[in-house]
Amino acid sequence: KLICLCFLHRMFEAHIQNYSGNDPLDPWYRYFQWIEGMSEAEGKQTCLLSLLERLVKTFLSDKRYHDDMRFINCCVKFADFIDNPSHFFDYMYNQGVGNKSSILYISWAQQQGNVSQACTVIQRGIQNEAQPIEKLHHQYRYVSVVWPMFDSLCLLSKLNIMTFLSTGSKDILCIARNPGLRGSGVLCKQLTVLS
């Protein structure tokens, strides 16, 4: 199996090197998808990091890919590997990569250290009319309502279990406090979030 994996890696690399079509990201993205399907035992994370570093470096300055979902997805995935992903997202944004894609802003917001910063990032995406905008509105409601509620509840009690239930017409946050101890119980609060 190792010989087969090495052969496939070489085949993808050769295809990237010898590609002469009008979409040079295509062979890179096919390689990315193949690695995504690998198991951890086959070295998925190491291969992915190596490929994504080269892919981002190769295509970051190529403006025709700045709004291409394949490239944006690879950049978002690459951010998972770096120490300060928020700075990377800021750099991507300043380069014009993904500015019209909600996935950029949602991933960027999830890397923020607090609710205010996350909301600012999502609002930036809404102002830029990133698509699909509905995802940004949903994420904004989630970040601005659930995150602060969870943070304040964590400070007030020793929480062990939290469940967020979405019932279609209403969202409910349930928290089990101090299971097994006197004063334990379940706190449920209906979230009133306007659509």
Side-chain angles (χ1 to χ4, degrees):
K1 188 169 183 173
L2 182 60
I3 293 171
C4 182
L5 283 176
C6 290
F7 173 76
L8 289 171
H9 280 289
R10 278 187 260 136
M11 182 188 74
F12 278 109
E13 291 288 346
H15 190 59
I16 287 169
Q17 294 298 321
N18 298 322
Y19 184 79
S20 60
N22 61 357
D23 184 15
L25 179 61
D26 182 63
W28 288 83
Y29 195 72
R30 289 177 191 270
Y31 193 14
F32 165 74
Q33 289 177 309
W34 178 74
I35 291 173
E36 280 275 87
M38 291 173 59
S39 71
E40 296 303 325
E42 295 169 323
K44 175 181 176 176
Q45 296 303 321
T46 303
C47 294
L48 203 51
L49 175 59
S50 173
L51 175 69
L52 289 172
E53 280 178 324
R54 293 184 302 133
L55 187 152
V56 169
K57 184 177 180 182
T58 300
F59 293 100
L60 191 60
S61 62
D62 193 335
K63 292 191 185 306
R64 67 183 154 165
Y65 292 113
H66 283 190
D67 292 317
D68 189 305
M69 284 308 301
R70 298 170 302 168
F71 183 59
I72 296 166
N73 286 332
C74 288
C75 289
V76 166
K77 187 71 172 180
F78 178 63
D80 290 341
F81 288 97
I82 58 180
D83 292 334
N84 196 336
S86 187
H87 285 217
F88 176 68
F89 283 119
D90 191 47
Y91 180 76
M92 281 178 47
Y93 176 82
N94 289 328
Q95 296 300 308
V97 176
N99 290 3
K100 295 292 185 183
S101 171
S102 63
I103 192 172
L104 169 81
Y105 299 99
I106 291 169
S107 299
W108 189 2
Q110 291 171 348
Q111 299 298 329
Q112 298 304 308
N114 64 52
V115 172
S116 175
Q117 291 171 335
C119 286
T120 299
V121 168
I122 294 169
Q123 286 172 336
R124 185 181 290 178
I126 292 169
Q127 289 170 350
N128 287 333
E129 299 176 354
Q131 297 298 316
I133 202 155
E134 301 81 31
K135 286 187 177 185
L136 288 170
H137 287 295
H138 176 74
Q139 188 72 15
Y140 184 81
R141 288 189 302 269
Y142 177 77
V143 167
S144 62
V145 174
V146 175
W147 281 16
M149 184 186 312
F150 180 67
D151 286 345
S152 60
L153 287 171
C154 283
L155 293 173
L156 295 174
S157 64
K158 293 179 173 68
L159 304 176
N160 295 337
I161 301 170
M162 180 181 100
T163 306
F164 180 70
L165 305 171
S166 185
T167 61
S169 61
K170 59 186 168 191
D171 294 329
I172 301 171
L173 181 68
C174 294
I175 300 171
R177 295 182 295 163
N178 306 319
L181 300 175
R182 184 181 165 118
S184 66
V186 176
L187 169 68
C188 288
K189 177 165 176 71
Q190 181 177 338
L191 304 177
T192 52
V193 180
L194 301 175
S195 298

